[in-house]
Amino acid sequence: MKVLLLGSGGREHALAWKLSQSPRLTRLWCAPGNPGTAKLATNVPVKADAPDEVVALARRESVDLVVVGPEAPLVAGVADALAKAGIPCFGPVAGAALIEGSKAFAKEIMAEAGVPTAAFRTFTDAVEAEAYAVAQGRIVVKADGLAAGKGVIVAHDVDSARQAVRAVAALGTSGQRMVLEELLEGEEVSAMALCDGERYVMLPLSQDHKRVGDGDTGPNTGGMGAYSPAPFLDAEQLAEVGESVIAPTLAVLRRRGLPFKGVLYAGLMLTRNGPKVLEFNARFGDPETQVLMMQLGEDLLPLVDACARGQLQARPLVAAPGASVGVVMAAEGYPEAPRKGQRIDGLDAVPEDATVFVAGAEMRDGALVTSGGRVLTVCARGDDLARARERAYAAVAAVRFEGMHFRHDIGVKGLKAAP
Ligand SMILES: Nc1ncnc2c1ncn2[C@@H]1O[C@H](COP(=O)(O)OP(=O)(O)O)[C@@H](O)[C@H]1O
Ligand SMILES: [Mg+2]
């Protein structure tokens, strides 16, 4: 099979790594890709979120399947354009991807599907929203549209609730409409399903670490590390999430003529009253995908191909034994203002039992230099979470670039919870 993968992050390097192991793969392209995917695929300088260019590339190379990594191409309608061209695509059409792009739409779908989620109200008027927020006190304020992770404020008292509504309203277009919802408490985990529009298979549960600093301190980031499996749900409970969250959501979208083909990612809060959905994403998580690809004990290609063609067999996936940990190595100044152009050393000294996925880095004069905030995800698998952590951090210790920082506690919550 000839496959075109869209995107340029650590997630895409991990997808390319996994797809490359498939005996069914004959050729892999990545658009635009990064220095990591360049070793596994042919990188093509085509913008992933330009539907016409993607269709033209897919036609030119007569690819059998397009796999979409990030959300931008989905929102831009790449899957719609590919469908029109008759090219199978793993990734939902724009109308279905709105489940990530609009918090209000996601809530509407959840309400119709009866998915457990925080109680909420949607507002278009900031004054009304403020009055409601002040009356509630403890509240979460969410801008409706994509806001690059800056559109959600968790407010624990009346003063911060008032300020949260004002701050989200001030975001402009994406802040015009906002969702105010019940503040939930519990362990936050990522539950992802591969979906074919109707059927789904659950990937192992994983956990991201969104704050920049150890012990969940400092500002939010795109994710500083992940591990899987997260030991907070057993196999039966994960299957229940599939039945109570994924299945009804797919059914509602399908009824609306928006069959969801791709990864439906449920961000869950494991509350005392059971798992509740915080948000949906319409794609693989980053950095969760890096560890999920290490934990997937079977070929990814037939699965994503079956999803794209609407022919998935619902069944439990084969998981690799043990656990995987991925530590993000970030650039100085990340997340506020990452410093670029630092030379990355030590990659050849990384032990063989670890895998380094490249994200914000580029080749310059034959050397790998930093080019973004999240530079690398350093991953390792082990017979258990503790061993996976040791291996991942041993590999992290081999890598150096000026100003680098990373969290030292990736997976620690899982260690504490393990039976
Ligand atoms: N109802 C809620 N209760 C408590 N915390 C929440 C709630 N909704 C979101 N959060 C917190 O805010 C973060 C961002 O919210 P999310 O809905 O995932 O938006 P986005 O990822 O688009 O910024 C979540 O990861 C979670 O930590
Ligand atoms: Mg989120």
Side-chain angles (χ1 to χ4, degrees), residues 100 103 107 117-119 139-143 145-154 156 181-186 188 210-211 220 265 267 269 277-281 283:
E100 168 165 2
K103 304 271 187 213
K107 279 296 200 181
T117 185
I139 195 98
V140 179
V141 184
K142 300 187 174 186
L146 290 174
K150 296 189 165 62
V152 174
I153 302 177
V154 180
H156 290 271
E181 67 179 45
E182 173 194 3
L183 199 161
L184 299 174
E185 277 167 323
E188 202 175 328
K210 292 174 199 299
R211 303 294 201 92
N220 264 324
Y265 167 140
M269 192 75 96
V277 176
L278 296 177
E279 69 161 346
F280 280 120
N281 291 318
R283 36 105 195 149

Side-chain angles (χ1 to χ4, degrees), residues 314-335:
R315 60 172 174 84
L317 287 180
V318 180
S324 293
V325 170
V327 180
V328 169
M329 299 189 74
E332 182 176 356
Y334 179 75

Side-chain angles (χ1 to χ4, degrees), residues 72-297:
L74 301 170
V75 173
V78 163
D80 307 67
L82 287 164
K84 227 180 253 164
I87 301 164
C89 175
F90 181 80
V93 293
L98 204 57
I99 202 157
E100 168 165 2
S102 163
K103 304 271 187 213
F105 178 73
K107 279 296 200 181
E108 185 187 316
I109 298 291
M110 283 189 251
E112 190 176 329
V115 166
T117 185
F120 73 103
R121 276 185 60 182
T122 301
F123 291 89
T124 47
D125 183 298
V127 176
E128 280 173 30
E130 193 175 313
Y132 178 79
V134 165
Q136 298 292 314
R138 286 159 55 85
I139 195 98
V140 179
V141 184
K142 300 187 174 186
D144 181 36
L146 290 174
K150 296 189 165 62
V152 174
I153 302 177
V154 180
H156 290 271
D157 55 57
V158 171
D159 270 352
S160 28
R162 183 183 292 117
Q163 276 162 29
V165 171
R166 291 183 184 174
V168 168
L171 284 174
T173 40
S174 99
Q176 289 298 338
R177 192 148 77 136
M178 57 182 104
V179 174
L180 271 59
E181 67 179 45
E182 173 194 3
L183 199 161
L184 299 174
E185 277 167 323
E187 201 66 57
E188 202 175 328
V189 292
S190 309
M192 285 171 236
L194 308 176
C195 309
D196 79 344
E198 193 178 351
R199 288 157 299 251
Y200 65 92
V201 294
M202 298 301 293
L203 288 163
L205 196 70
S206 56
Q207 187 168 45
D208 186 8
H209 298 65
K210 292 174 199 299
R211 303 294 201 92
V212 74
D214 288 355
D216 295 332
T217 53
N220 264 324
T221 69
M224 292 298 290
Y227 67 98
S228 180
F232 307 105
L233 298 179
D234 60 25
E236 198 178 314
Q237 290 168 318
L238 184 64
E240 274 168 31
V241 169
E243 282 160 32
S244 63
V245 172
I246 305 294
T249 302
L250 290 179
V252 166
L253 287 171
R254 199 158 162 264
R255 263 207 310 274
R256 293 191 177 202
L258 298 169
F260 190 101
K261 295 179 176 182
V263 175
L264 185 57
Y265 167 140
L268 301 177
M269 192 75 96
L270 304 179
T271 74
R272 274 191 303 179
N273 302 317
K276 296 198 175 177
V277 176
L278 296 177
E279 69 161 346
F280 280 120
N281 291 318
R283 36 105 195 149
F284 279 113
D286 186 339
E288 295 98 317
T289 302
Q290 287 85 313
V291 291
L292 288 177
M293 290 305 109
M294 303 196 78
Q295 279 306 112
L296 183 57

Side-chain angles (χ1 to χ4, degrees), residues 340-359:
K340 299 174 183 176
Q342 306 303 309
R343 218 181 91 156
I344 302 166
D345 288 310
L347 287 176
D348 43 8
V350 166
E352 273 189 16
D353 59 10
T355 307
V356 178
F357 295 116
V358 175

